[in-house]
Amino acid sequence: MNMGEGRRSVSRRSWMKRLLAGLAAGLLVNRRPAAAKVEEEREGLRETGPLTVRVTRPFDAETPVREFTSFLTPNHRFFVRSHFGPPDEERISEANWRLRVDGLVERPAEFRLKDLHQMDAATITAVVQCSGNGRAFHRPKVPGVQWERGAVGNAQWTGVRLRDLLTRAGVKDQARHVQLQGADRPVVASVPLFIRSIPLEKALHPDTILAYEMNGRPLPLLHGAPLRVITPGWMADSCIKWLSGITVQAEEAKGYYMQTAYRVPAKPVEPTATTHVPSIPVEAMVVKSLVAAPEEGETVKVGPIMIQGVAWSGEAGVVKVEVSLDEGKSWEPARLVGEDHPYAWRQWQLAWKPAGAGTVTILCRATDARGDRQPATTPWNPSGFLWNGWDRVTVTVAGD
Amino acid sequence: MKGANVKGTRNGATVLCIGALLSLVVTTAAQEDDSLSIAAALAPRAEGLIVARCSVCHSADLIAQQRLPRARWETTIEKMKQWGAELSPDEADLLVRYLSARYHPGAPDQLPPLDAELRKAEPLTQETLAEGPVTGVAARGAGLFEHNCQACHGAEAMGGMGPKLVKNPILKHEDIFWETVLHGRGPMPAWDSVLSHQDIADIHAWLMTK
C-alpha cells in the first residue's frame, strides 16, 4: 500500500544516512562489553513475575525451574502455551459453552459443564509438557518458540473420563481416532485451526480425562477453562484447552496441526537432509530430569548442598536418577523421594559436599522402568521436539 | 542501494562516490559477516513491516528469538503468506534479507537492541507533518479497513478478536481514536508507521457511516 516510486526517492537520502548510522552503530556495539548489562537486565526480569515470557501474544511463558522444588506446580506458575490465546470469555461462559460429541457415534450429544459435574469424577496427578520444551538446546537451531527448561509442570487434574462420554455416545465399529477441538480461534481466518486427534485406544484409556479442575481449583482460563483434555504420559499437544468439540473418526484429524506440525521423523535425520522423510505424530513423553536447586548461576557455600530436582517419563516409571559433577565421566545415584504416582514426576535429592571454591557444573540424567536413559543430547529433528538431553546447571562455590 | 538514480544532479559525482564507497562498505561488511550492520540498515522498513504484517497475529518477540539460516526464513515467510500475511513479493524479499541478516544462526542470543533512531520504523506511507488537518473520505476507508483492520475488528467492523467499532463511543472522541490508532493500546499495535493520516481519517469517516 502507498508504496509509490515518489516516496522511495524522497526517502533515499535518509535511507543512506541511516545505513551509515547503522554501520557506525554496528561497529560501536561490537566493541562494547555488553555481557554485564545483559546479566543485570536478566536479573531485573526475574523480579517482575513468576513466569519467563517467551511470546507476549499469544501468551507463551515458561516456569522458572526453581519452582520445581515443589511436587505440584501452582496454577499461576504453570507454563502457558497456545496457538491463538484464549477464546472470547463469552464463548466459554457457563451459559454459552457446550461440549459437542459427534462423528462415528450412535447418539451425538451436547454437554453443559453442569452435566459433566454430575458424572463420576476422576483425579490424576500428571506431568504436562510442551513438545517443544528444550527446543532452544537443539543444534542447529530450529524455528519455533525457544523454550528452555520450564515448559513443563506437574499438577493434579480432576474431571470426567473421556471414555465415559464416548460410551454414552456409543462409538461405532469403524471408529479409530478421536478428534479434539478447542474454542480458540486464530486472528485471521486463513490460519489453520488447531485441531488434533488421538487414537481411539488412548481416548478410551481410563486415565485419559477431561479436566475441569487443576490442583483442586476450577481450571484457569489460561489453562483451558472450562475443560481441557489430559492425556497422561503424552506430550501436551494432545491436551487440548477450551475443549468444545469431540469428533469420532475413522482417520487421523486432517489439517496442519496433525498432518504437518507436531510430528518427528520416523528415523533420525541429518540437519542437512532436504528430502521429505516419513514422520510420526509426537505422542508419549521421553524420559527426562531437571535440576531444580541449586539454580543456574547461583553461588553456593562450601558446606553440604542439597541438589534436588524432578524426573519423569511417558509411560513408564522413573527408576533411577544420577548426578555427575565431572561432565559425565562418573555418575552418582540420587535418592528418589516423595510421592510416587504413575504419571506424575518423581522428586529426587543428592547431598553434595563441594571439594573447594570454583565453578562446578551439575548434570543429571534419569532412567525409566523400560531401561530408557536420558542421552547427553537428543537426536536433532526439524521442529525441535522431545528434547531430553542431560540437564545442566552451573554454580559457583564460594571460598570459605 | 546502488546510488544509481542520482546522475543529473549537481552533486552527482560526489554522491556517486559516496554510493560507490557505500557499496564497497556494504560488500566488505558482508564479507566480514557483519550482518548486524546490514540488518540495521534494513531495520527501518523491515520493523515497520513486522508491525503491520506480522504482529496482527503474533508479537514481534516470537520473531526476535529465532536464529535461522536464510532458507528457513524463506520457508517461514512463505508459510506466513499462505496463512494470510499480506506481503507483496518485494516486502517478503526485504523481510527475508533483514531477518536472515539480524537473526542468523551465528547471531548471539542477546542481540544489542536496535538503535533508538533506527527502531523508530520508517513510515510506509507518504506523510509529511506539514500537511495539516485531513478530511476523511468514507469510500476510501472501506478498503483500507478491510486491508488493515478487519483481521482483528471483524468484517464490517462488527468485532472479532478486537472490539466492535461500529457505533463504538471512541468514534466520537477523535483524540482518543487517533491516539489509539497511531500509538496502539493494549494488544493493538501502533499503526503510525503503516497508515498515513489521510488513511486514518478515511477509516474514521467510513466507520462513522456504519
Side-chain angles (χ1 to χ4, degrees), chain A residues 221-298:
Chain A
L221 178 67
L222 283 174
H223 297 293
L227 198 67
R228 169 179 203 175
V229 181
I230 298 293
T231 49
W234 282 24
M235 284 290 186
D237 42 82
S238 47
C239 299
I240 301 293
K241 297 176 180 181
W242 311 294
L243 185 70
S244 60
I246 296 173
T247 307
V248 181
Q249 302 178 159
E251 307 288 337
E252 247 180 28
K254 297 278 183 287
Y256 179 80
Y257 288 104
M258 197 70 207
Q259 294 174 303
T260 304
Y262 294 114
R263 300 182 80 90
V264 287
K267 290 178 186 163
V269 292
E270 290 297 318
T272 47
T274 48
T275 50
H276 183 76
V277 295
S279 63
I280 51 171
V282 167
E283 291 179 345
M285 288 189 269
V286 288
V287 64
K288 188 164 178 175
S289 59
L290 295 172
V291 177
E295 269 185 81
E296 172 65 30
E298 196 174 325

Side-chain angles (χ1 to χ4, degrees), chain B residues 178-195:
Chain B
W178 279 79
E179 172 66 23
T180 305
V181 177
L182 287 172
H183 305 303
R185 183 155 55 137
M188 175 161 158
W191 288 83
D192 60 341
S193 64
V194 182
L195 297 171

Side-chain angles (χ1 to χ4, degrees), chain B residues 106-189:
Chain B
D109 286 350
Q110 301 288 334
L111 280 169
L114 293 163
D115 179 87
E117 190 199 346
L118 294 166
R119 190 170 214 152
K120 183 154 171 43
E122 179 170 313
L124 301 178
T125 53
Q126 309 179 37
E127 190 69 16
T128 63
L129 291 172
E131 271 178 16
V134 287
T135 308
V137 182
R140 276 205 302 257
L144 287 164
F145 182 90
E146 190 184 338
H147 189 67
N148 295 285
C149 320
Q150 185 166 302
C152 289
H153 293 284
E156 298 295 311
M158 292 304 283
M161 185 201 197
K164 174 180 169 181
L165 294 176
V166 173
K167 310 244 186 285
N168 190 307
I170 198 174
L171 298 177
K172 290 189 181 145
H173 298 90
E174 278 207 56
D175 52 338
I176 305 175
F177 177 87
W178 279 79
E179 172 66 23
T180 305
V181 177
L182 287 172
H183 305 303
R185 183 155 55 137
M188 175 161 158

